[in-house]
Amino acid sequence: MIEQTLADVFGYDGFRPGQEAAIRAVIDGRSAAAIFPTGSGKSLCYQLPALLLPNLTLVVSPLLALMQDQLAFLHRHGIAAASIDSAQSREDASAVMARAKSGELKILMISVERLKNERFRHFIAQVPISLLVVDEAHCISEWGHNFRPDYLKLPDYARQFGIPQVLLLTATATPPVIADMQAKFAIAAGDVITTGFYRANLNLLVEPVAGRDKLRRLVDWLGAKAGEPAIVYVTQQKTAEQVAAHLGASGVPASAYHAGMPHEQREAIQRQFMDGRINCIVATIAFGMGIDKSDIRNVVHFDLPKSIENYSQEIGRAGRDGRPSDCLVLANRDSLSVLENFVYGDTPELDGIREVLEEIRQAEGGQWELMLGALSEQSNIRPLPLKTLLVQLELRGIIAPRYAYFAEYRFKYLIEPDALLETFDGERRQFVEAIVHSSARARTWCTVDFEALYNQHRAERGRVVKALDWFQERGWIELESKQMTEVYERLRGEFAIDRLSDELHAYFRQQESSEIARIHAMLELFASDRCLSQRLAAYFGDEQAPQHCGHCSVCQGRVARLPEAPALASLQGKSFHALCGAFIQRYEALKGKPPSSEALTRFLCGIGAPLLSKLKAKGIDGFAALGEYPYAEVRAWAEAQA
């Protein structure tokens, strides 16, 4: 049956390495992990079983672009699949939910954050699920390069919704990450399938190029490969715009692509690249995840990638048709400080951690409610590390998540309220009347008053939300919800704030050191005098790659000696007041105290933080004035001056 489905639905006459073992494990009712290189066909490992399993396959995916590309593939093959995502209208999302409830859908794709959504949880609890698929599953591991705290909750979600088995998919898991993934989902060692990371058709080339010469070298390189599909990776959005413009002016048509563009524009550019109307994309890492274009002949890293894992993912988009493809790094150390500064910006200040702990201790009745955006601004901790902080507090037994809800629901009638009421009788009519009469109406929209409904009518919040969803499904109202509020139970009322703050700050500093080490490991790879293909495979635990591939720049006799970054003027000659005076003045006016050395350093290095956004720091003289200097050096200078 498996082979017949493979041929009839997907049109393949055989499996790629590892696919059959992963698929048979899932069909036989076991959880499994498929760890294959980018472009090796991981998606088939859930797509084929989804057709043979009795109930829905729920796929958790980290990027909208990844979902859309896989959905397009599934639709081409006549498979009933859909996604629920932030780009959809309320009506579209409701239609998808109805198809899932009816059993029409075989595959539903969501982001992990969707599982915290109160309305989605009500819905998914009513749908039988055969398989949970976690794409980019390395995000589960704190040892991974792209750790996402919400992924830590997936094992609990699987239990809550009674999902019997899990399939983990990733291309970039080192041995410690694989062990972590396996343990979190209790996957048997024999069902962890790895196929090796060496790809014989990829020519790994590292070329030392001074920063001032990179544009010229890029034009020469791509100009000699006219018409060949290419992706050029850069670090910053402004660089993507500048490089694309320069290529176009030099006779190499190219389009920029980055997360700062409107969604529709990004979609259009991606479609044009996929169907060959655009041959060259200059992109940040927002582009490429899950892009299933088989004939990409060139991947160029104009700027250094963030890590060896990122590099492996990004070059993995080349040559999926098996034909030779070139992966070029224009390497120097010029942008090293920029890469490192991204890391330093994610380390919370000690005062911010302490502020979060004070909030928890003061929570009334042992229940702590928060809105992530507001807490991020209040504590000056970026949303992602703030999520990590909350997960660490869970792991230490300080708090436990209970549920999340939208603080505000509002609706507008699509039929007259009287017509809606006439649909019900008895106790149900009384309940619906309570919703209608207690929801304050302004012109068009009615805001639901949950407190009044409970106090006056003992109407439970969950029942009200279910009713509103049902009304919308019937086309009687249009429903909107906003202000996601997360509710935690405080498990320990007494804890030593100073000691715990120091402990958590040390944890983040350790993570910071690990990420910085990851950057330097990547530099060591690029400057290696050993076969690059073999070094890359060994990093991921693959000992089967040849010792000399014969087609990387090292095997071809070109060991890269990376040029040092241009010397920078001494900070001792800089005027602290000229660079920081305006910022300090605005900071003190808002906070009533001078900025810490960390806040000053982030301002001078141009590193985003919630408080800097609130202060509109980008418009203050001195912002990012020292962005090319190492963070630690700027911090030491700021501490000495302040």
Side-chain angles (χ1 to χ4, degrees), residues 207 213-226 246-247 250 252 328 330:
E207 189 173 314
D213 298 326
K214 282 202 298 185
L215 277 172
R216 177 190 54 76
R217 182 67 186 108
L218 180 65
V219 170
D220 289 347
W221 173 271
L222 293 176
K225 297 166 169 284
H246 184 87
L247 286 171
S250 303
V252 181
L328 173 69
L330 300 177

Side-chain angles (χ1 to χ4, degrees), residues 166-417:
V166 176
L167 174 64
L168 307 182
L169 306 174
T170 182
T172 51
T174 59
V177 171
I178 293 172
D180 201 14
M181 289 161 45
Q182 182 183 348
K184 282 186 168 71
F185 286 95
I187 298 172
D191 291 322
V192 177
I193 298 121
T194 60
T195 59
F197 285 81
Y198 172 62
R199 286 182 60 194
N201 65 314
L202 296 189
N203 305 319
L204 308 188
L205 311 172
V206 179
E207 189 173 314
V209 181
R212 63 182 178 275
D213 298 326
K214 282 202 298 185
L215 277 172
R216 177 190 54 76
R217 182 67 186 108
L218 180 65
V219 170
D220 289 347
W221 173 271
L222 293 176
K225 297 166 169 284
E228 293 185 5
I231 304 175
V232 179
Y233 281 109
V234 298
T235 303
Q236 296 177 303
Q237 294 177 7
K238 64 180 182 181
T239 313
E241 301 278 0
Q242 291 164 354
V243 171
H246 184 87
L247 286 171
S250 303
V252 181
S255 291
Y257 183 107
H258 57 73
M261 291 177 161
H263 172 75
E264 295 77 13
Q265 186 180 1
R266 292 203 309 272
E267 282 288 289
I269 290 170
Q270 181 173 318
R271 282 196 301 271
Q272 290 167 20
F273 182 67
M274 294 297 290
D275 62 24
R277 285 175 287 161
I278 294 174
N279 268 327
C280 181
I281 296 285
V282 184
T284 59
I285 58 171
F287 183 79
M289 267 194 149
I291 297 300
D292 191 19
K293 183 173 170 64
S294 64
D295 63 343
I296 297 172
R297 297 273 73 86
N298 304 282
V299 170
V300 182
H301 281 90
F302 185 83
D303 291 327
L304 291 173
K306 288 186 173 182
S307 65
I308 293 177
E309 288 91 339
N310 281 75
Y311 171 69
S312 176
Q313 273 189 333
E314 288 153 17
I315 63 172
R317 285 149 202 158
R320 294 190 177 187
D321 56 7
R323 292 177 52 205
S325 302
D326 290 336
C327 305
L328 173 69
V329 181
L330 300 177
N332 59 44
R333 300 174 192 272
D334 294 12
S335 59
L336 188 57
S337 293
V338 174
L339 272 184
E340 292 181 344
N341 286 354
F342 277 116
V343 174
Y344 289 119
D346 273 343
T347 301
E349 293 184 58
L350 183 61
D351 284 349
I353 295 173
R354 187 177 288 115
E355 194 160 342
V356 172
L357 295 181
E358 286 285 4
E359 281 274 312
I360 294 170
R361 187 157 70 178
Q362 292 169 16
E364 294 182 7
Q367 183 165 293
W368 181 45
E369 296 194 2
L370 67 98
M371 283 186 278
L372 193 71
L375 186 62
S376 172
E377 188 174 293
Q378 178 187 332
S379 62
N380 195 30
I381 302 175
R382 286 177 175 176
L384 183 60
L386 179 55
K387 290 179 184 178
T388 304
L389 174 60
L390 296 176
V391 168
Q392 287 302 314
L393 291 170
E394 290 178 43
L395 296 175
R396 285 165 169 77
I398 305 294
I399 57 175
R402 287 297 168 247
Y403 57 93
Y405 67 90
F406 285 105
E408 183 178 315
Y409 277 81
R410 66 177 197 159
F411 63 90
K412 66 180 178 183
Y413 293 104
L414 301 178
I415 62 172
E416 287 301 315

Side-chain angles (χ1 to χ4, degrees), residues 86-131:
S86 57
Q88 282 173 325
S89 68
R90 176 77 58 182
E91 293 77 12
D92 288 344
S94 295
V96 170
M97 289 183 186
R99 292 175 67 200
K101 273 186 183 177
S102 71
E104 177 192 341
L105 280 186
K106 294 303 295 179
I107 296 171
L108 176 63
M109 307 190 79
I110 59 167
S111 69
V112 68
E113 290 79 12
R114 183 68 49 179
L115 288 162
K116 295 195 296 186
N117 179 300
E118 183 182 29
R119 295 180 64 217
F120 182 80
R121 288 167 62 80
H122 280 310
F123 149 71
I124 205 69
Q126 304 169 51
V127 179
I129 300 171
S130 289
L131 176 67

